[in-house]
Amino acid sequence: MPDCIFCQIIKGQLPSAKIYEDERVISFLDINPVNPGHTLVIPKAHYKTIFELPEEELIACMKVAQKIAGAVFKGTNAAGLNFIQNNLRPAGQHVDHIHFHLIPRFPQDNFYTSWPGKPYPQGELEKLAKKIIGCF
Ligand code: DGP
């Protein structure tokens, strides 16, 4: 995809601090990290979101992400690590080439440790579970 910055990184047309590369997957440091060592894992093939990503690409990314998670955790002396993937603008996706974030975490790093959960009204949890099951 010519306009995609991550495709340009894959092709070597844009620089990156590369951590790992194989036939299917590439990993490099995020240019705007939550914390130093924040790393992205992406498939080389251009897919926008989790919804389109073929299973074999997902599996390849997950295998690499697990290895790199351990290295990032050790290499940054982190106290924790978030594995995050954003889909579409309302969920915080800014680059339209699917990517998995590995974010090393440190005490009081001002990212987050819990999100603002909203309990369901009576009966709604079961109703919504049924609706989602109907969409498989
Ligand atoms: P997201 O919001 O989930 O789409 O995350 C996009 C991330 O990509 C964001 O944390 C910053 C990073 N990013 C954007 N442009 C570049 C770039 O040119 N190089 C690198 N290394 N990272 C980038």
Side-chain angles (χ1 to χ4, degrees), residues 35-47:
N35 287 316
H38 180 161
T39 301
L40 302 174
V41 175
I42 72 173
K44 285 186 172 175
H46 183 95
Y47 294 97

Side-chain angles (χ1 to χ4, degrees), residues 5-6 9 14-17 28-34 38 40 84-87 89 91-97 99-101:
I5 46 172
F6 286 177
I9 286 174
L14 278 179
S16 71
F28 49 88
L29 293 185
D30 191 297
I31 207 169
N32 190 27
V34 171
H38 180 161
L40 302 174
I84 297 177
Q85 193 267 314
N86 302 322
N87 297 285
R89 295 290 177 271
Q93 182 176 15
H94 297 97
V95 176
D96 290 341
H97 183 131
H99 47 282
F100 299 88
H101 295 262

Side-chain angles (χ1 to χ4, degrees), residues 35 72 75 113 122 127:
N35 287 316
V72 168
T113 52
Q122 185 74 27
K127 225 161 90 184

Side-chain angles (χ1 to χ4, degrees), residues 21-67:
E21 182 170 15
D22 65 27
E23 326 75 64
R24 271 209 149 112
V25 180
I26 188 167
S27 175
F28 49 88
L29 293 185
D30 191 297
I31 207 169
N32 190 27
V34 171
N35 287 316
H38 180 161
T39 301
L40 302 174
V41 175
I42 72 173
K44 285 186 172 175
H46 183 95
Y47 294 97
K48 184 174 175 183
T49 70
I50 193 78
F51 308 119
E52 299 90 26
L53 189 68
E55 190 178 67
E56 60 274 19
E57 299 288 350
L58 177 66
I59 290 167
C61 285
M62 290 305 100
K63 284 182 171 172
V64 168
Q66 188 188 32
K67 273 195 199 131

